[in-house]
Amino acid sequence: MTGLVRHRSPTGPGPGALAATAAAGAGLAALLAALPFATAHAPVLAVALFALVALVVRDRLAAHHPMDRFGAANAVTLLRAAGVAAFAALALEPALLAGSAAWWAAAAAGLILALDGLDGTLARRQRTASAFGARFDMEVDALFVLVLAALALGLGKAGPWVLGLGLMRYGFVAAGYLAPALRAPLPPSFRRKAVCVFQIAVLAILLAPPVTPPLSTALAALAFAALAASFAIDIRRLLRPPA
């Protein structure tokens, strides 16, 4: 999470809430990866991936979080990251998602998506909104899209191009190093958030067993087109010469 404005509180966020949330998240990651699947590899890998996310959050927290507490909103985002870690573990073994397991996965993906609106609501109500929280939420969303796209590919729901749904945002970030204008901040956008929710919803639907090609391919292509159009709008705005 580089590029955030540094805001250091006098004492910094206490480690207790982060540690408690991380412990709960590790348990959640293991649970999601283990049920109803009968493999020992998925839970272990899910916890390892989540631990990596938690360590990155801990490393960035003191330097970039302006509050003196971790906050309920960030706790929800970290718990969502646990779910994403579980899906990342499953993406490496897509054969696990067959029959009823696929329905469980689709429902879990829908739950993680539903929680995406909760962290922002909590931040506004508790007045704990920050650049750190917004970036944290965005990074979890981006990783979730990439993981679900990998699952869609592994399950044969679409071709390799579906990974573009998850890689497009990272490509945009990389392009910013070649064209500094692309690193300029963008104003909040309902369109951007709606497209993010749409693509996650589509990828979650693709996990359902009845959704197979050509329907799954068409849905993925629709999400791809919406995301590409959204990026095109932002790139055009950032590269537009100043008036």
Side-chain angles (χ1 to χ4, degrees), residues 94-134:
L96 295 173
L97 296 182
S100 63
W103 286 110
W104 277 94
L111 177 59
I112 294 172
L113 175 59
L115 289 175
D116 190 19
L118 180 60
D119 46 13
T121 300
L122 287 172
R124 288 187 293 271
R125 287 184 177 179
Q126 298 183 349
R127 298 183 179 179
T128 57
S130 68
F132 171 88

PDB file of all heavy atoms in Angstrom, residues 94-134:
ATOM      1  N   PRO A  94      -8.708 -25.984  -7.999  1.00  0.00           N
ATOM      2  CA  PRO A  94     -10.100 -25.768  -8.425  1.00  0.00           C
ATOM      3  C   PRO A  94     -10.924 -27.048  -8.482  1.00  0.00           C
ATOM      4  O   PRO A  94     -12.157 -26.980  -8.419  1.00  0.00           O
ATOM      5  CB  PRO A  94      -9.944 -25.142  -9.820  1.00  0.00           C
ATOM      6  CG  PRO A  94      -8.589 -25.547 -10.288  1.00  0.00           C
ATOM      7  CD  PRO A  94      -7.746 -25.597  -9.047  1.00  0.00           C
ATOM      8  N   ALA A  95     -10.280 -28.202  -8.573  1.00  0.00           N
ATOM      9  CA  ALA A  95     -11.024 -29.456  -8.612  1.00  0.00           C
ATOM     10  C   ALA A  95     -11.826 -29.682  -7.336  1.00  0.00           C
ATOM     11  O   ALA A  95     -12.782 -30.466  -7.320  1.00  0.00           O
ATOM     12  CB  ALA A  95     -10.068 -30.624  -8.838  1.00  0.00           C
ATOM     13  N   LEU A  96     -11.444 -28.975  -6.251  1.00  0.00           N
ATOM     14  CA  LEU A  96     -12.183 -29.110  -4.994  1.00  0.00           C
ATOM     15  C   LEU A  96     -13.607 -28.568  -5.130  1.00  0.00           C
ATOM     16  O   LEU A  96     -14.507 -28.988  -4.397  1.00  0.00           O
ATOM     17  CB  LEU A  96     -11.463 -28.359  -3.878  1.00  0.00           C
ATOM     18  CG  LEU A  96     -10.077 -28.869  -3.459  1.00  0.00           C
ATOM     19  CD1 LEU A  96      -9.461 -27.912  -2.466  1.00  0.00           C
ATOM     20  CD2 LEU A  96     -10.191 -30.264  -2.866  1.00  0.00           C
ATOM     21  N   LEU A  97     -13.786 -27.624  -6.036  1.00  0.00           N
ATOM     22  CA  LEU A  97     -15.090 -26.967  -6.160  1.00  0.00           C
ATOM     23  C   LEU A  97     -15.964 -27.722  -7.149  1.00  0.00           C
ATOM     24  O   LEU A  97     -16.133 -27.320  -8.301  1.00  0.00           O
ATOM     25  CB  LEU A  97     -14.911 -25.518  -6.593  1.00  0.00           C
ATOM     26  CG  LEU A  97     -14.164 -24.626  -5.601  1.00  0.00           C
ATOM     27  CD1 LEU A  97     -14.091 -23.207  -6.117  1.00  0.00           C
ATOM     28  CD2 LEU A  97     -14.831 -24.652  -4.240  1.00  0.00           C
ATOM     29  N   ALA A  98     -16.510 -28.802  -6.687  1.00  0.00           N
ATOM     30  CA  ALA A  98     -17.405 -29.609  -7.516  1.00  0.00           C
ATOM     31  C   ALA A  98     -18.678 -29.888  -6.730  1.00  0.00           C
ATOM     32  O   ALA A  98     -18.653 -30.031  -5.506  1.00  0.00           O
ATOM     33  CB  ALA A  98     -16.738 -30.918  -7.922  1.00  0.00           C
ATOM     34  N   GLY A  99     -19.799 -29.960  -7.444  1.00  0.00           N
ATOM     35  CA  GLY A  99     -21.071 -30.286  -6.797  1.00  0.00           C
ATOM     36  C   GLY A  99     -21.460 -29.274  -5.742  1.00  0.00           C
ATOM     37  O   GLY A  99     -21.425 -28.060  -5.948  1.00  0.00           O
ATOM     38  N   SER A 100     -21.816 -29.774  -4.562  1.00  0.00           N
ATOM     39  CA  SER A 100     -22.283 -28.896  -3.485  1.00  0.00           C
ATOM     40  C   SER A 100     -21.202 -27.930  -3.018  1.00  0.00           C
ATOM     41  O   SER A 100     -21.506 -26.826  -2.556  1.00  0.00           O
ATOM     42  CB  SER A 100     -22.771 -29.735  -2.305  1.00  0.00           C
ATOM     43  OG  SER A 100     -21.709 -30.507  -1.760  1.00  0.00           O
ATOM     44  N   ALA A 101     -19.935 -28.329  -3.141  1.00  0.00           N
ATOM     45  CA  ALA A 101     -18.846 -27.447  -2.720  1.00  0.00           C
ATOM     46  C   ALA A 101     -18.856 -26.148  -3.524  1.00  0.00           C
ATOM     47  O   ALA A 101     -18.559 -25.069  -2.996  1.00  0.00           O
ATOM     48  CB  ALA A 101     -17.500 -28.154  -2.884  1.00  0.00           C
ATOM     49  N   ALA A 102     -19.196 -26.248  -4.799  1.00  0.00           N
ATOM     50  CA  ALA A 102     -19.250 -25.045  -5.639  1.00  0.00           C
ATOM     51  C   ALA A 102     -20.350 -24.103  -5.162  1.00  0.00           C
ATOM     52  O   ALA A 102     -20.190 -22.876  -5.200  1.00  0.00           O
ATOM     53  CB  ALA A 102     -19.463 -25.443  -7.093  1.00  0.00           C
ATOM     54  N   TRP A 103     -21.478 -24.671  -4.743  1.00  0.00           N
ATOM     55  CA  TRP A 103     -22.565 -23.836  -4.218  1.00  0.00           C
ATOM     56  C   TRP A 103     -22.126 -23.139  -2.929  1.00  0.00           C
ATOM     57  O   TRP A 103     -22.441 -21.966  -2.704  1.00  0.00           O
ATOM     58  CB  TRP A 103     -23.810 -24.679  -3.965  1.00  0.00           C
ATOM     59  CG  TRP A 103     -24.534 -25.076  -5.212  1.00  0.00           C
ATOM     60  CD1 TRP A 103     -24.622 -26.326  -5.763  1.00  0.00           C
ATOM     61  CD2 TRP A 103     -25.287 -24.209  -6.073  1.00  0.00           C
ATOM     62  NE1 TRP A 103     -25.376 -26.294  -6.902  1.00  0.00           N
ATOM     63  CE2 TRP A 103     -25.797 -25.012  -7.124  1.00  0.00           C
ATOM     64  CE3 TRP A 103     -25.573 -22.846  -6.056  1.00  0.00           C
ATOM     65  CZ2 TRP A 103     -26.580 -24.488  -8.149  1.00  0.00           C
ATOM     66  CZ3 TRP A 103     -26.350 -22.315  -7.072  1.00  0.00           C
ATOM     67  CH2 TRP A 103     -26.845 -23.135  -8.105  1.00  0.00           C
ATOM     68  N   TRP A 104     -21.410 -23.856  -2.067  1.00  0.00           N
ATOM     69  CA  TRP A 104     -20.880 -23.258  -0.847  1.00  0.00           C
ATOM     70  C   TRP A 104     -19.943 -22.105  -1.193  1.00  0.00           C
ATOM     71  O   TRP A 104     -19.991 -21.035  -0.567  1.00  0.00           O
ATOM     72  CB  TRP A 104     -20.123 -24.303  -0.025  1.00  0.00           C
ATOM     73  CG  TRP A 104     -20.987 -25.156   0.835  1.00  0.00           C
ATOM     74  CD1 TRP A 104     -21.518 -26.380   0.529  1.00  0.00           C
ATOM     75  CD2 TRP A 104     -21.433 -24.875   2.170  1.00  0.00           C
ATOM     76  NE1 TRP A 104     -22.252 -26.871   1.571  1.00  0.00           N
ATOM     77  CE2 TRP A 104     -22.217 -25.976   2.595  1.00  0.00           C
ATOM     78  CE3 TRP A 104     -21.238 -23.808   3.039  1.00  0.00           C
ATOM     79  CZ2 TRP A 104     -22.806 -26.025   3.856  1.00  0.00           C
ATOM     80  CZ3 TRP A 104     -21.821 -23.854   4.301  1.00  0.00           C
ATOM     81  CH2 TRP A 104     -22.607 -24.953   4.691  1.00  0.00           C
ATOM     82  N   ALA A 105     -19.098 -22.324  -2.178  1.00  0.00           N
ATOM     83  CA  ALA A 105     -18.140 -21.289  -2.571  1.00  0.00           C
ATOM     84  C   ALA A 105     -18.860 -20.066  -3.132  1.00  0.00           C
ATOM     85  O   ALA A 105     -18.495 -18.925  -2.823  1.00  0.00           O
ATOM     86  CB  ALA A 105     -17.164 -21.850  -3.602  1.00  0.00           C
ATOM     87  N   ALA A 106     -19.878 -20.272  -3.945  1.00  0.00           N
ATOM     88  CA  ALA A 106     -20.633 -19.156  -4.505  1.00  0.00           C
ATOM     89  C   ALA A 106     -21.309 -18.352  -3.394  1.00  0.00           C
ATOM     90  O   ALA A 106     -21.319 -17.108  -3.423  1.00  0.00           O
ATOM     91  CB  ALA A 106     -21.670 -19.674  -5.503  1.00  0.00           C
ATOM     92  N   ALA A 107     -21.874 -19.062  -2.409  1.00  0.00           N
ATOM     93  CA  ALA A 107     -22.518 -18.371  -1.287  1.00  0.00           C
ATOM     94  C   ALA A 107     -21.504 -17.594  -0.460  1.00  0.00           C
ATOM     95  O   ALA A 107     -21.769 -16.453  -0.039  1.00  0.00           O
ATOM     96  CB  ALA A 107     -23.246 -19.392  -0.408  1.00  0.00           C
ATOM     97  N   ALA A 108     -20.333 -18.184  -0.226  1.00  0.00           N
ATOM     98  CA  ALA A 108     -19.285 -17.502   0.542  1.00  0.00           C
ATOM     99  C   ALA A 108     -18.796 -16.264  -0.193  1.00  0.00           C
ATOM    100  O   ALA A 108     -18.556 -15.210   0.417  1.00  0.00           O
ATOM    101  CB  ALA A 108     -18.123 -18.447   0.805  1.00  0.00           C
ATOM    102  N   ALA A 109     -18.649 -16.364  -1.513  1.00  0.00           N
ATOM    103  CA  ALA A 109     -18.227 -15.206  -2.303  1.00  0.00           C
ATOM    104  C   ALA A 109     -19.272 -14.097  -2.216  1.00  0.00           C
ATOM    105  O   ALA A 109     -18.932 -12.907  -2.115  1.00  0.00           O
ATOM    106  CB  ALA A 109     -18.000 -15.611  -3.755  1.00  0.00           C
ATOM    107  N   GLY A 110     -20.545 -14.472  -2.243  1.00  0.00           N
ATOM    108  CA  GLY A 110     -21.608 -13.487  -2.109  1.00  0.00           C
ATOM    109  C   GLY A 110     -21.578 -12.804  -0.755  1.00  0.00           C
ATOM    110  O   GLY A 110     -21.822 -11.591  -0.648  1.00  0.00           O
ATOM    111  N   LEU A 111     -21.255 -13.560   0.301  1.00  0.00           N
ATOM    112  CA  LEU A 111     -21.167 -12.983   1.643  1.00  0.00           C
ATOM    113  C   LEU A 111     -20.011 -11.990   1.736  1.00  0.00           C
ATOM    114  O   LEU A 111     -20.153 -10.904   2.309  1.00  0.00           O
ATOM    115  CB  LEU A 111     -20.993 -14.091   2.683  1.00  0.00           C
ATOM    116  CG  LEU A 111     -20.825 -13.639   4.133  1.00  0.00           C
ATOM    117  CD1 LEU A 111     -22.035 -12.827   4.591  1.00  0.00           C
ATOM    118  CD2 LEU A 111     -20.609 -14.836   5.049  1.00  0.00           C
ATOM    119  N   ILE A 112     -18.865 -12.367   1.174  1.00  0.00           N
ATOM    120  CA  ILE A 112     -17.715 -11.458   1.189  1.00  0.00           C
ATOM    121  C   ILE A 112     -18.049 -10.173   0.432  1.00  0.00           C
ATOM    122  O   ILE A 112     -17.676  -9.073   0.847  1.00  0.00           O
ATOM    123  CB  ILE A 112     -16.484 -12.154   0.582  1.00  0.00           C
ATOM    124  CG1 ILE A 112     -16.049 -13.324   1.473  1.00  0.00           C
ATOM    125  CG2 ILE A 112     -15.325 -11.171   0.423  1.00  0.00           C
ATOM    126  CD1 ILE A 112     -14.965 -14.188   0.852  1.00  0.00           C
ATOM    127  N   LEU A 113     -18.768 -10.317  -0.672  1.00  0.00           N
ATOM    128  CA  LEU A 113     -19.184  -9.140  -1.438  1.00  0.00           C
ATOM    129  C   LEU A 113     -20.132  -8.273  -0.624  1.00  0.00           C
ATOM    130  O   LEU A 113     -20.030  -7.040  -0.621  1.00  0.00           O
ATOM    131  CB  LEU A 113     -19.849  -9.581  -2.744  1.00  0.00           C
ATOM    132  CG  LEU A 113     -20.457  -8.464  -3.603  1.00  0.00           C
ATOM    133  CD1 LEU A 113     -19.392  -7.445  -3.996  1.00  0.00           C
ATOM    134  CD2 LEU A 113     -21.128  -9.055  -4.841  1.00  0.00           C
ATOM    135  N   ALA A 114     -21.069  -8.907   0.089  1.00  0.00           N
ATOM    136  CA  ALA A 114     -22.025  -8.149   0.903  1.00  0.00           C
ATOM    137  C   ALA A 114     -21.315  -7.355   1.993  1.00  0.00           C
ATOM    138  O   ALA A 114     -21.723  -6.222   2.318  1.00  0.00           O
ATOM    139  CB  ALA A 114     -23.053  -9.098   1.518  1.00  0.00           C
ATOM    140  N   LEU A 115     -20.263  -7.931   2.555  1.00  0.00           N
ATOM    141  CA  LEU A 115     -19.519  -7.243   3.606  1.00  0.00           C
ATOM    142  C   LEU A 115     -18.729  -6.054   3.068  1.00  0.00           C
ATOM    143  O   LEU A 115     -18.283  -5.205   3.844  1.00  0.00           O
ATOM    144  CB  LEU A 115     -18.560  -8.224   4.296  1.00  0.00           C
ATOM    145  CG  LEU A 115     -19.204  -9.283   5.180  1.00  0.00           C
ATOM    146  CD1 LEU A 115     -18.141 -10.261   5.686  1.00  0.00           C
ATOM    147  CD2 LEU A 115     -19.928  -8.640   6.357  1.00  0.00           C
ATOM    148  N   ASP A 116     -18.567  -6.002   1.742  1.00  0.00           N
ATOM    149  CA  ASP A 116     -17.791  -4.920   1.144  1.00  0.00           C
ATOM    150  C   ASP A 116     -18.427  -3.563   1.417  1.00  0.00           C
ATOM    151  O   ASP A 116     -17.731  -2.551   1.486  1.00  0.00           O
ATOM    152  CB  ASP A 116     -17.663  -5.155  -0.369  1.00  0.00           C
ATOM    153  CG  ASP A 116     -16.678  -4.199  -1.017  1.00  0.00           C
ATOM    154  OD1 ASP A 116     -15.857  -3.617  -0.288  1.00  0.00           O
ATOM    155  OD2 ASP A 116     -16.724  -4.039  -2.246  1.00  0.00           O
ATOM    156  N   GLY A 117     -19.745  -3.530   1.555  1.00  0.00           N
ATOM    157  CA  GLY A 117     -20.400  -2.265   1.834  1.00  0.00           C
ATOM    158  C   GLY A 117     -20.431  -1.914   3.305  1.00  0.00           C
ATOM    159  O   GLY A 117     -20.708  -0.766   3.674  1.00  0.00           O
ATOM    160  N   LEU A 118     -20.129  -2.883   4.158  1.00  0.00           N
ATOM    161  CA  LEU A 118     -20.217  -2.653   5.597  1.00  0.00           C
ATOM    162  C   LEU A 118     -19.053  -1.834   6.132  1.00  0.00           C
ATOM    163  O   LEU A 118     -19.242  -0.970   6.986  1.00  0.00           O
ATOM    164  CB  LEU A 118     -20.298  -3.990   6.331  1.00  0.00           C
ATOM    165  CG  LEU A 118     -20.396  -3.935   7.853  1.00  0.00           C
ATOM    166  CD1 LEU A 118     -21.635  -3.163   8.281  1.00  0.00           C
ATOM    167  CD2 LEU A 118     -20.421  -5.352   8.441  1.00  0.00           C
ATOM    168  N   ASP A 119     -17.850  -2.102   5.619  1.00  0.00           N
ATOM    169  CA  ASP A 119     -16.697  -1.392   6.177  1.00  0.00           C
ATOM    170  C   ASP A 119     -16.775   0.110   5.915  1.00  0.00           C
ATOM    171  O   ASP A 119     -16.495   0.924   6.799  1.00  0.00           O
ATOM    172  CB  ASP A 119     -15.373  -1.966   5.658  1.00  0.00           C
ATOM    173  CG  ASP A 119     -15.370  -2.200   4.156  1.00  0.00           C
ATOM    174  OD1 ASP A 119     -16.285  -1.709   3.481  1.00  0.00           O
ATOM    175  OD2 ASP A 119     -14.452  -2.889   3.675  1.00  0.00           O
ATOM    176  N   GLY A 120     -17.209   0.493   4.712  1.00  0.00           N
ATOM    177  CA  GLY A 120     -17.350   1.918   4.422  1.00  0.00           C
ATOM    178  C   GLY A 120     -18.420   2.577   5.282  1.00  0.00           C
ATOM    179  O   GLY A 120     -18.238   3.699   5.768  1.00  0.00           O
ATOM    180  N   THR A 121     -19.529   1.860   5.478  1.00  0.00           N
ATOM    181  CA  THR A 121     -20.602   2.389   6.320  1.00  0.00           C
ATOM    182  C   THR A 121     -20.126   2.595   7.755  1.00  0.00           C
ATOM    183  O   THR A 121     -20.395   3.627   8.381  1.00  0.00           O
ATOM    184  CB  THR A 121     -21.802   1.433   6.306  1.00  0.00           C
ATOM    185  OG1 THR A 121     -22.280   1.289   4.963  1.00  0.00           O
ATOM    186  CG2 THR A 121     -22.927   1.966   7.191  1.00  0.00           C
ATOM    187  N   LEU A 122     -19.395   1.621   8.276  1.00  0.00           N
ATOM    188  CA  LEU A 122     -18.867   1.740   9.642  1.00  0.00           C
ATOM    189  C   LEU A 122     -17.882   2.893   9.759  1.00  0.00           C
ATOM    190  O   LEU A 122     -17.896   3.629  10.749  1.00  0.00           O
ATOM    191  CB  LEU A 122     -18.179   0.426  10.048  1.00  0.00           C
ATOM    192  CG  LEU A 122     -19.095  -0.752  10.344  1.00  0.00           C
ATOM    193  CD1 LEU A 122     -18.278  -2.022  10.543  1.00  0.00           C
ATOM    194  CD2 LEU A 122     -19.946  -0.477  11.580  1.00  0.00           C
ATOM    195  N   ALA A 123     -17.041   3.060   8.744  1.00  0.00           N
ATOM    196  CA  ALA A 123     -16.052   4.141   8.792  1.00  0.00           C
ATOM    197  C   ALA A 123     -16.739   5.504   8.826  1.00  0.00           C
ATOM    198  O   ALA A 123     -16.315   6.406   9.559  1.00  0.00           O
ATOM    199  CB  ALA A 123     -15.126   4.035   7.589  1.00  0.00           C
ATOM    200  N   ARG A 124     -17.799   5.651   8.053  1.00  0.00           N
ATOM    201  CA  ARG A 124     -18.498   6.940   8.038  1.00  0.00           C
ATOM    202  C   ARG A 124     -19.246   7.177   9.343  1.00  0.00           C
ATOM    203  O   ARG A 124     -19.231   8.293   9.882  1.00  0.00           O
ATOM    204  CB  ARG A 124     -19.462   6.992   6.849  1.00  0.00           C
ATOM    205  CG  ARG A 124     -18.753   7.117   5.500  1.00  0.00           C
ATOM    206  CD  ARG A 124     -19.745   7.334   4.380  1.00  0.00           C
ATOM    207  NE  ARG A 124     -20.582   6.155   4.159  1.00  0.00           N
ATOM    208  CZ  ARG A 124     -20.264   5.166   3.335  1.00  0.00           C
ATOM    209  NH1 ARG A 124     -19.108   5.187   2.687  1.00  0.00           N
ATOM    210  NH2 ARG A 124     -21.082   4.141   3.162  1.00  0.00           N
ATOM    211  N   ARG A 125     -19.902   6.155   9.858  1.00  0.00           N
ATOM    212  CA  ARG A 125     -20.678   6.323  11.085  1.00  0.00           C
ATOM    213  C   ARG A 125     -19.789   6.592  12.282  1.00  0.00           C
ATOM    214  O   ARG A 125     -20.130   7.367  13.172  1.00  0.00           O
ATOM    215  CB  ARG A 125     -21.538   5.085  11.333  1.00  0.00           C
ATOM    216  CG  ARG A 125     -22.729   4.973  10.386  1.00  0.00           C
ATOM    217  CD  ARG A 125     -23.594   3.783  10.746  1.00  0.00           C
ATOM    218  NE  ARG A 125     -24.779   3.710   9.884  1.00  0.00           N
ATOM    219  CZ  ARG A 125     -25.691   2.748   9.967  1.00  0.00           C
ATOM    220  NH1 ARG A 125     -25.561   1.780  10.863  1.00  0.00           N
ATOM    221  NH2 ARG A 125     -26.729   2.761   9.150  1.00  0.00           N
ATOM    222  N   GLN A 126     -18.635   5.941  12.336  1.00  0.00           N
ATOM    223  CA  GLN A 126     -17.727   6.100  13.469  1.00  0.00           C
ATOM    224  C   GLN A 126     -16.680   7.183  13.229  1.00  0.00           C
ATOM    225  O   GLN A 126     -15.802   7.395  14.057  1.00  0.00           O
ATOM    226  CB  GLN A 126     -17.040   4.762  13.774  1.00  0.00           C
ATOM    227  CG  GLN A 126     -18.019   3.668  14.160  1.00  0.00           C
ATOM    228  CD  GLN A 126     -17.313   2.368  14.517  1.00  0.00           C
ATOM    229  OE1 GLN A 126     -16.119   2.211  14.299  1.00  0.00           O
ATOM    230  NE2 GLN A 126     -18.066   1.431  15.087  1.00  0.00           N
ATOM    231  N   ARG A 127     -16.779   7.840  12.073  1.00  0.00           N
ATOM    232  CA  ARG A 127     -15.864   8.913  11.713  1.00  0.00           C
ATOM    233  C   ARG A 127     -14.413   8.447  11.759  1.00  0.00           C
ATOM    234  O   ARG A 127     -13.530   9.125  12.299  1.00  0.00           O
ATOM    235  CB  ARG A 127     -16.072  10.118  12.631  1.00  0.00           C
ATOM    236  CG  ARG A 127     -17.472  10.720  12.517  1.00  0.00           C
ATOM    237  CD  ARG A 127     -17.636  11.946  13.380  1.00  0.00           C
ATOM    238  NE  ARG A 127     -18.974  12.517  13.247  1.00  0.00           N
ATOM    239  CZ  ARG A 127     -19.411  13.580  13.904  1.00  0.00           C
ATOM    240  NH1 ARG A 127     -18.591  14.206  14.759  1.00  0.00           N
ATOM    241  NH2 ARG A 127     -20.635  14.038  13.728  1.00  0.00           N
ATOM    242  N   THR A 128     -14.177   7.269  11.200  1.00  0.00           N
ATOM    243  CA  THR A 128     -12.820   6.724  11.141  1.00  0.00           C
ATOM    244  C   THR A 128     -12.350   6.539   9.704  1.00  0.00           C
ATOM    245  O   THR A 128     -11.405   5.797   9.445  1.00  0.00           O
ATOM    246  CB  THR A 128     -12.750   5.371  11.881  1.00  0.00           C
ATOM    247  OG1 THR A 128     -13.707   4.462  11.307  1.00  0.00           O
ATOM    248  CG2 THR A 128     -13.033   5.541  13.362  1.00  0.00           C
ATOM    249  N   ALA A 129     -13.026   7.209   8.759  1.00  0.00           N
ATOM    250  CA  ALA A 129     -12.624   7.089   7.357  1.00  0.00           C
ATOM    251  C   ALA A 129     -11.236   7.696   7.171  1.00  0.00           C
ATOM    252  O   ALA A 129     -10.902   8.724   7.758  1.00  0.00           O
ATOM    253  CB  ALA A 129     -13.631   7.802   6.463  1.00  0.00           C
ATOM    254  N   SER A 130     -10.411   7.033   6.366  1.00  0.00           N
ATOM    255  CA  SER A 130      -9.052   7.506   6.133  1.00  0.00           C
ATOM    256  C   SER A 130      -8.563   7.005   4.786  1.00  0.00           C
ATOM    257  O   SER A 130      -9.139   6.086   4.188  1.00  0.00           O
ATOM    258  CB  SER A 130      -8.106   7.011   7.234  1.00  0.00           C
ATOM    259  OG  SER A 130      -7.947   5.597   7.154  1.00  0.00           O
ATOM    260  N   ALA A 131      -7.472   7.599   4.299  1.00  0.00           N
ATOM    261  CA  ALA A 131      -6.859   7.130   3.057  1.00  0.00           C
ATOM    262  C   ALA A 131      -6.375   5.700   3.219  1.00  0.00           C
ATOM    263  O   ALA A 131      -6.435   4.899   2.281  1.00  0.00           O
ATOM    264  CB  ALA A 131      -5.705   8.051   2.671  1.00  0.00           C
ATOM    265  N   PHE A 132      -5.897   5.368   4.413  1.00  0.00           N
ATOM    266  CA  PHE A 132      -5.451   3.998   4.671  1.00  0.00           C
ATOM    267  C   PHE A 132      -6.603   3.021   4.493  1.00  0.00           C
ATOM    268  O   PHE A 132      -6.475   2.002   3.807  1.00  0.00           O
ATOM    269  CB  PHE A 132      -4.900   3.891   6.100  1.00  0.00           C
ATOM    270  CG  PHE A 132      -4.605   2.473   6.531  1.00  0.00           C
ATOM    271  CD1 PHE A 132      -3.370   1.903   6.273  1.00  0.00           C
ATOM    272  CD2 PHE A 132      -5.565   1.711   7.190  1.00  0.00           C
ATOM    273  CE1 PHE A 132      -3.100   0.588   6.656  1.00  0.00           C
ATOM    274  CE2 PHE A 132      -5.305   0.404   7.576  1.00  0.00           C
ATOM    275  CZ  PHE A 132      -4.069  -0.154   7.308  1.00  0.00           C
ATOM    276  N   GLY A 133      -7.744   3.307   5.122  1.00  0.00           N
ATOM    277  CA  GLY A 133      -8.888   2.410   5.040  1.00  0.00           C
ATOM    278  C   GLY A 133      -9.402   2.255   3.624  1.00  0.00           C
ATOM    279  O   GLY A 133      -9.737   1.146   3.186  1.00  0.00           O
ATOM    280  N   ALA A 134      -9.455   3.375   2.886  1.00  0.00           N
ATOM    281  CA  ALA A 134      -9.932   3.313   1.501  1.00  0.00           C
ATOM    282  C   ALA A 134      -9.000   2.477   0.640  1.00  0.00           C
ATOM    283  O   ALA A 134      -9.443   1.662  -0.187  1.00  0.00           O
ATOM    284  CB  ALA A 134     -10.059   4.724   0.934  1.00  0.00           C
TER     285      ALA A 134
END
